[in-house]
Structures are given as structure tokens and as C-alpha cells.
Amino acid sequence: SAVISQKPSRDICQRGTSLTIQCQVDSQVTMMFWYRQQPGQSLTLIATANQGSEATYESGFVIDKFPISRPNLTFSTLTVSNMSPEDSSIYLCSVEVPGTSEAFFGQGTRLTVV
Amino acid sequence: AQSVTQLDSQVPVFEEAPVELRCNYSSSVSVYLFWYVQYPNQGLQLLLKYLSGSTLVESINGFEAEFNKSQTSFHLRKPSVHISDTAEYFCAVSPARGGYQKVTFGTGTKLQVIP
């Protein structure tokens, strides 16, 4: 299994500012994933972050808006840039532990943009 | 491509009554199937999964789900719910191939257990 810590757990931000969300895993993992869960909707994959390479973004998400860092095998950050109220969501970090076919999730960051 | 449909956005049920949360999927390849649970203000936790073998899978807290390939379904059931089962439940699917494969989630079903 894997234990994932996300910070902050929630935040209220002014439009036009940026927020960086941190994700720390208690074991080394190759791939880390960032999801968005908008109110009343399902989880949507934003990007996949591999250590030592640029993140791979899903359709509809761009690096300028959601820059991601992956400096080592246990840590990643997601920045939500130039925020607008439409960015109000829960952002979730996830990892897959090799051999388990199971995704483990952090507790999420509940972001409100005002 | 793959997709997941959870037809019921909310399911109210009385305590100790049975419940079924429906999940249907579509995929052009063989799949793995998952149910995740999200308690209030928490992240997602895996409830149970089907990878291969027996089509009936069970969780440690009394939930079970049955993979039905002909009906492309993976409905979640519990014979008697508790207040503590109040949460949102997500069905998910991924291609059944080696290595990481993208997981697609349904829109979720909020289970509300009424005392």
C-alpha cells in the first residue's frame, strides 16, 4: 500500500493568484497522477508525472495553467495558476503501487476561488 | 476508449436495508473494475476490485460486487447497510494490460443511510 499526504487540505484563494499543492508519498513510486474533481462531477485526470521527465497532460489541460514538478520518487507539486472561480474543485494526488493494479489517493485539496 | 456510467447520483436507504449501486461500463478491451469510496472530507479509498478469476468479489466491510461481462456491469451490493456506510461511491475501469493503465471513473453515487 501507500500513504499519501497532501497539503493544503483546503484553501480559499483570490482570483488571479496561484496555489501550489504538495503531494508526499511514504514510498518510492514511478508514476504520480493529479486529478480534478469538480462539484457534482467525476474525477478527471489532469496529468501524469514521472520523475525526471516532463509531465504528460490530458486533453484540455495545459502546462501553463497546471505546472507540475516531480523532483524525486516520493514528491510532486501541482500549481493552479491564474485562478478563476471555475477552478474551484477538489484536487487529488494519486499513485499506483507496482504490481497491485490499484490507485491510492491523497485526501485531496478543496480549493475555492473567490 | 472506455467509459463508466453510474445511473444513480443519490441513493437514500434506511439503516439495515439492502442496497445496490449500479455501474455499467463500455470498453473495446478486457478491463479491470474497481469500486472506490469517499467519506466526507476524505480522499478515495479502494473498496474492492475485480482483476480476474471469480466474478464475485467482496470487501472486508460486507460489500460485494459481481462482474457481469455479458451485461457489462459491476454493481455494488450490501445486504444490510449501516450509518457509517454513508459516503460517495465511485465505479472505475482500466484496461487489463500490464503496467499502469489510465483509470476512468464514473460520476459517483452518494449513498445516504437514514437512521
Side-chain angles (χ1 to χ4, degrees):
Chain A
S1 65
V3 177
I4 303 171
S5 300
Q6 250 185 268
K7 294 180 181 179
S9 59
R10 60 178 62 230
D11 206 342
I12 301 174
C13 301
Q14 297 289 326
R15 67 176 67 203
T17 63
S18 298
L19 176 71
T20 296
I21 303 168
Q22 299 180 4
C23 178
Q24 179 76 51
V25 189
D26 68 343
S27 58
Q28 294 185 341
V29 294
T30 304
M31 303 173 76
M32 297 179 74
F33 310 93
W34 288 97
Y35 286 84
R36 181 174 71 182
Q37 184 180 14
Q38 293 180 298
Q41 298 188 28
S42 183
L43 281 76
T44 303
L45 182 64
I46 297 172
T48 302
N50 292 334
Q51 192 268 336
S53 63
E54 285 196 6
T56 303
Y57 289 82
E58 297 295 308
S59 175
F61 297 96
V62 295
I63 187 171
D64 290 345
K65 176 66 176 178
F66 297 101
I68 289 172
S69 77
R70 182 79 200 274
N72 57 53
L73 292 174
T74 63
F75 187 78
S76 177
T77 67
L78 169 76
T79 298
V80 186
S81 303
N82 188 24
M83 288 182 286
S84 67
E86 292 71 34
D87 294 319
S88 297
S89 291
I90 299 173
Y91 292 86
L92 293 143
C93 171
S94 173
V95 305
E96 189 211 21
V97 174
T100 67
S101 300
E102 176 183 343
F104 293 85
F105 288 84
Q107 79 274 25
T109 297
R110 187 178 298 270
L111 170 63
T112 302
V113 184
V114 297
Chain B
Q2 54 198 10
S3 66
V4 179
T5 301
Q6 292 180 250
L7 289 174
D8 305 307
S9 60
Q10 294 190 53
V11 174
V13 61
F14 286 103
E15 192 174 15
E16 298 184 0
V19 69
E20 177 180 81
L21 307 184
R22 295 180 292 170
C23 173
N24 288 89
Y25 70 92
S26 67
S27 177
S28 56
V29 300
S30 296
V31 295
Y32 295 151
L33 292 156
F34 310 86
W35 275 100
Y36 284 86
V37 58
Q38 186 177 32
Y39 297 104
N41 299 315
Q42 295 188 30
L44 275 73
Q45 303 171 33
L46 181 69
L47 189 61
L48 46 76
K49 62 183 178 183
Y50 169 80
L51 304 182
S52 64
S54 173
T55 57
L56 183 66
V57 291
E58 299 177 352
S59 72
I60 58 174
N61 57 352
F63 282 94
E64 64 178 30
E66 186 163 19
F67 170 51
N68 188 319
K69 188 174 182 180
S70 63
Q71 296 186 8
T72 61
S73 68
F74 192 56
H75 301 330
L76 182 69
R77 302 184 184 94
K78 188 171 185 179
S80 176
V81 295
H82 300 141
I83 293 291
S84 59
D85 293 324
T86 295
E88 189 159 16
Y89 294 80
F90 292 91
C91 183
V93 61
S94 72
R97 297 198 297 265
Y100 173 75
Q101 301 296 331
K102 180 179 175 181
V103 180
T104 300
F105 288 85
T107 51
T109 298
K110 291 184 178 178
L111 174 62
Q112 182 183 6
V113 180
I114 305 165

